[in-house]
């Protein structure tokens, strides 16, 4: 299944994508795709539906993030060996984990806002997963049963804040709009998560090309690992690292500026597109 949320910011409705790529409204059946709304019981109830019998959403103006009210947004750093190399860092012995803020999440085509005092704004195409069942000391072999689905994340980063302002990476990872998710949340039965192509363009020029096959720490291991240190609840999001091609890795970095357009995609998970805009209150 491909789950989607559509509508104005803060008033998104849940839907499913049918075989023709149209949005079917399931708001009469599901309150929202958040918390237990992405739990096994909710998703099992949706699997038995005949999509052609569901009402069409009509003219969909905006696609929102595919999961709402995210409480915990966890990220994995340096999870591709070639990205670690371009950043001049060693391949980690264990997953590098850090926090992003739930309130930095926006829809897949919403604007990305350049924060105040920004100097080095960067992009990162990543595959994220959404927790469907409480994850606490999970065994790697059982990890998939705790995942509701997978989506694209653009892990927007301000490298000056992240690296040069000392302290934790969260400084450069949590500004408003720094977490575009979507367009869909795709259940695992539709994907080979270990072999998905990934790409990102800036202003029509290819910057990143990669594959989930090159992850250092695969998704089941990553979930099992994180669950040894914290409890993840339904609706929580984990984004899993980026392949090479970010601005940080360039000999002469081309940092994002207002007016730039990012377009990115992952096989089976759709495409995002964002415009960078200047900070506004």
């Amino acid at each position: 299944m491909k789950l989607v949320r559509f509508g104005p910011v803060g008033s998104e409705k849940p839907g499913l994508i049918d075989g023709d790529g149209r949005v079917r409204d399931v708001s009469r059946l599901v309150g929202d795709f958040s918390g237990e709304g992405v739990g096994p019981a909710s998703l099992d109830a949706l699997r038995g539906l005949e999509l052609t019998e569901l009402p069409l959403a009509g003219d969909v103006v905006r696609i929102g993030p595919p999961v709402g009210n995210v409480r915990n947004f966890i990220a994995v750093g340096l999870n591709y060996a070639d990205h670690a190399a371009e950043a001049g860092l060693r391949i980690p012995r264990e997953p590098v984990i850090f926090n992003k803020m739930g309130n930095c999440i926006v829809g897949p085509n919403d604007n990305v806002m350049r924060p105040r005092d920004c100097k080095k704004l960067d992009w990162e195409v990543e595959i994220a997963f959404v927790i469907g069942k409480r994850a606490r000391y999970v065994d790697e072999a059982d990890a998939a049963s705790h995942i509701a689905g997978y989506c694209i994340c653009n892990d927007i980063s301000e490298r000056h804040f992240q690296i040069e302002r000392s302290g934790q990476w969260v400084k450069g990872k949590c500004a408003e709009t720094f977490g575009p998710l979507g367009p869909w949340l795709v259940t695992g039965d539709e994907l080979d998560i270990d072999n998905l192509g990934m790409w990102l363009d800036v202003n029509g020029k290819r910057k990143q090309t990669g594959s989930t096959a090159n992850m250092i720490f695969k998704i089941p291991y990553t979930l099992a690992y994180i669950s040894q240190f914290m409890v993840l609840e339904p609706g929580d999001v984990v984004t899993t690292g980026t392949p090479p091609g970010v601005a940080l890795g360039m000999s002469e970095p081309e940092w994002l500026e207002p007016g730039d357009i990012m377009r990115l995609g992952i096989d089976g998970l759709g495409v995002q597109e964002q415009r960078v805009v200047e900070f506004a209150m």
Side-chain angles (χ1 to χ4, degrees):
M1 291 189 298
K2 293 182 174 71
L3 285 63
V4 67
R5 296 171 71 247
F6 61 95
V9 176
S11 300
E12 293 91 347
K13 294 182 178 181
L16 296 175
I17 303 297
D18 67 17
D20 296 320
R22 297 175 297 182
V23 177
R24 298 282 179 167
D25 190 338
V26 296
S27 59
R28 294 184 179 180
L29 305 174
V30 179
D32 195 6
F33 293 139
S34 64
E36 293 296 339
V38 292
S42 294
L43 299 191
D44 286 346
L46 294 174
R47 284 191 176 93
L49 298 176
E50 176 54 58
L51 296 187
T52 58
E53 296 178 359
L54 297 172
L56 288 167
D59 294 330
V60 176
V61 176
R62 174 182 176 271
I63 298 296
V67 60
N69 299 317
V70 174
R71 294 185 298 173
N72 295 301
F73 190 4
I74 307 298
V76 180
L78 306 176
N79 200 20
Y80 291 74
D82 35 12
H83 171 56
E86 73 173 353
L89 299 171
R90 295 181 180 178
I91 295 174
R93 293 179 297 175
E94 298 185 29
V96 175
I97 58 176
F98 58 93
N99 289 88
K100 290 177 74 75
M101 298 292 287
N103 65 4
C104 78
I105 293 173
V106 293
N109 305 312
D110 291 343
N111 290 336
V112 166
M113 188 165 62
R114 191 174 185 268
R116 283 181 174 175
D117 302 319
C118 175
K119 296 181 179 179
K120 299 179 178 180
L121 191 62
D122 208 348
W123 57 82
E124 294 190 6
V125 59
E126 305 192 0
I127 183 172
F129 60 88
V130 175
I131 299 298
K133 184 171 66 175
R134 195 170 196 254
R136 176 174 177 265
Y137 295 108
V138 173
D139 291 329
E140 184 176 353
D142 192 39
S145 70
H146 290 76
I147 296 175
Y150 305 85
C151 63
I152 302 170
C153 173
N154 192 355
D155 178 17
I156 303 295
S157 307
E158 209 294 347
R159 304 300 190 185
H160 175 67
F161 297 170
Q162 177 189 354
I163 298 169
E164 300 170 40
R165 295 292 296 272
S166 74
Q168 299 295 315
W169 283 9
V170 293
K171 290 181 179 179
K173 296 286 189 173
C174 294
E176 297 168 81
T177 74
F178 271 27
L181 294 182
W184 316 313
L185 181 66
V186 182
T187 52
D189 55 324
E190 296 199 14
L191 300 166
D192 175 6
I193 60 168
D194 291 328
N195 190 30
L196 300 177
M198 314 166 68
W199 56 271
L200 183 145
D201 297 343
V202 177
N203 299 328
K205 295 181 180 180
R206 185 58 45 95
K207 299 296 185 181
Q208 289 187 274
T209 302
S211 171
T212 58
N214 297 326
M215 277 187 182
I216 300 169
F217 304 107
K218 303 297 186 183
I219 286 174
Y221 177 86
T222 297
L223 173 53
Y225 178 88
I226 293 172
S227 75
Q228 309 307 304
F229 303 98
M230 64 193 75
V231 177
L232 297 175
E233 302 286 358
D236 288 351
V237 176
V238 179
T239 190
T240 61
T242 197
V246 299
L248 177 66
M250 298 177 180
S251 56
E252 297 183 7
E254 300 171 0
W255 307 112
L256 291 166
E257 298 288 346
D260 287 344
I261 302 291
M262 293 172 285
R263 185 173 171 84
L264 55 150
I266 298 177
D267 292 348
L269 297 179
V271 174
Q272 298 186 355
E273 184 173 303
Q274 300 105 29
R275 176 183 294 273
V276 180
V277 298
E278 194 55 88
F279 174 81
M281 292 296 291

